[in-house]
Amino acid sequence: MPHLTKPILSLKQFILKQEVKTLYRHIFRAIRKVPDPAHRKELTEWARRDFRANANYTDEVTVRMYLRYGERCLRELETSLNLAK
Amino acid sequence: MSGIVKNIRALTRHSCYFRAYSVRPLAVTLQKSHTVQQEPVHQQNLLSYTQTRFYSPEIKKTKPSEEEIKERVLKVCASYDKVTADKRLITPHERSYSAKPPLTLKLISERVLLVLQLYDKINPDKLNLKSHFINDLGLDSLDHVEVIMAMEDEFGFEIPDADAERLLTPADIVRYVGDREDVYE
């Protein structure tokens, strides 16, 4: 039985965490479609850095604010990808 | 803006004027236009007679002479290579389909471990099939997402979120990929 290294989250926190993870996944899937590999690398570094820098907040409002910022970035990325096609 | 339009209009009008007086007959002018060449007319009348089209010089190509045409046809015929033409026309007897390499569980586990070793946040000494990503290898949930995406890239199919949640050791991933790809041993 694996020992617990992390605290058990409440339902709200768990759902929030899931949302963050799905956003992260969507961003990476969008980055995959970028044609230029150097640009792709730069975008992945930027995404990882941003997510980890803001990873420590537990306050729901702050997390939701950053989630919205991330969703906006994702939408910009997707529109520029559609334009570049 | 209107000044530019006026200038362009004036230019086109003048060029039309010029064309009607040029020596080379234009194919698109109407029959009546030859009467225009005799005497200078008012610009409005000119426009009504000549329905010339205003092409820029690059678009309007000169017609090749018969000599030129003959030369070009002979050149194309001379360069016809029967051997390569025959090769192209005959349908190839072997068909090439794309296929994935044959997978065995051993091969899958090798590939999974290779991908994990290439991931910079994993310590390769601690890495084996049973090591838990979060508990043993010290990754956090975002790293876990990245690892699963790397597996998607490696094996070429998408792993939905619900399944990705449950894949917490390399052995899980190997079994999952084996189930997806119908690899039994």
Side-chain angles (χ1 to χ4, degrees), chain A residues 2-3 5-6 14 17-18 20-22 24-25 28-29 32 48 51-52, chain B residues 119-121 135 140-143 145-146 149 152-153 158-159 161 164-165:
Chain A
H3 60 282
T5 51
K6 49 192 194 303
F14 178 72
K17 196 166 185 175
Q18 289 302 98
V20 172
K21 286 207 268 193
T22 36
Y24 201 54
R25 212 185 300 260
F28 268 89
R29 291 234 168 96
R32 254 190 216 159
R48 285 163 93 171
F51 266 85
R52 271 160 227 291
Chain B
Y119 188 57
D120 53 0
K121 291 208 182 143
N135 298 341
D140 70 358
S141 46
L142 293 178
D143 293 325
V145 174
E146 282 184 40
M149 299 221 58
E152 284 182 8
D153 282 332
E158 278 213 359
I159 303 179
D161 294 4
E165 282 299 302

Side-chain angles (χ1 to χ4, degrees), chain B residues 34-76:
Chain B
H34 68 276
T35 58
V36 174
Q37 284 172 355
Q38 265 111 45
E39 80 267 352
V41 287
H42 192 253
Q43 280 180 350
Q44 292 298 91
N45 285 346
L46 196 69
L47 278 176
S48 62
Y49 275 113
T50 60
Q51 285 183 12
T52 52
R53 293 180 205 159
F54 308 117
Y55 295 120
S56 61
E58 305 93 270
I59 297 177
K60 188 176 184 313
K61 291 187 231 166
T62 55
K63 289 213 178 103
S65 65
E66 195 170 324
E67 271 302 312
E68 261 182 61
I69 296 179
K70 214 189 285 187
E71 250 175 76
R72 282 159 77 174
V73 168
L74 285 175
K75 208 193 312 177
V76 170

Side-chain angles (χ1 to χ4, degrees), chain B residues 26-174:
Chain B
L26 290 172
V28 291
T29 54
L30 296 180
Q31 286 288 32
K32 284 188 204 162
S33 66
H34 68 276
T35 58
V36 174
Q37 284 172 355
Q38 265 111 45
E39 80 267 352
V41 287
H42 192 253
Q43 280 180 350
Q44 292 298 91
N45 285 346
L46 196 69
L47 278 176
S48 62
Y49 275 113
T50 60
Q51 285 183 12
T52 52
R53 293 180 205 159
F54 308 117
Y55 295 120
S56 61
E58 305 93 270
I59 297 177
K60 188 176 184 313
K61 291 187 231 166
T62 55
K63 289 213 178 103
S65 65
E66 195 170 324
E67 271 302 312
E68 261 182 61
I69 296 179
K70 214 189 285 187
E71 250 175 76
R72 282 159 77 174
V73 168
L74 285 175
K75 208 193 312 177
V76 170
C77 291
S79 62
Y80 176 70
D81 185 353
K82 184 148 170 61
V83 179
T84 50
D86 273 352
K87 273 200 204 143
R88 235 182 305 132
L89 288 175
I90 294 174
T91 50
H93 287 293
E94 48 174 278
R95 300 178 201 162
S96 38
Y97 299 115
S98 69
K100 291 190 249 187
L103 290 176
T104 60
L105 279 180
K106 184 164 162 299
L107 186 63
I108 296 175
S109 58
E110 273 177 23
R111 284 167 77 175
V112 166
L113 286 176
L114 182 66
V115 169
L116 290 174
Q117 278 163 3
L118 290 173
Y119 188 57
D120 53 0
K121 291 208 182 143
I122 293 185
N123 189 354
D125 306 331
K126 291 198 193 156
L127 179 65
N128 62 65
L129 276 178
K130 295 283 174 195
S131 47
H132 196 272
F133 288 135
I134 299 183
N135 298 341
D136 301 334
L137 296 172
L139 302 178
D140 70 358
S141 46
L142 293 178
D143 293 325
H144 180 223
V145 174
E146 282 184 40
V147 164
I148 298 294
M149 299 221 58
M151 294 299 157
E152 284 182 8
D153 282 332
E154 168 71 21
F155 291 104
F157 61 85
E158 278 213 359
I159 303 179
D161 294 4
D163 294 345
E165 282 299 302
R166 277 180 268 125
L167 302 174
L168 293 165
T169 70
D172 286 345
I173 298 179
V174 170

Side-chain angles (χ1 to χ4, degrees), chain A residues 30-44 81 84:
Chain A
I31 290 179
R32 254 190 216 159
K33 298 186 201 156
V34 171
D36 176 33
H39 193 208
R40 221 181 298 166
K41 193 160 180 299
E42 197 190 320
L43 286 172
T44 54
L81 276 175

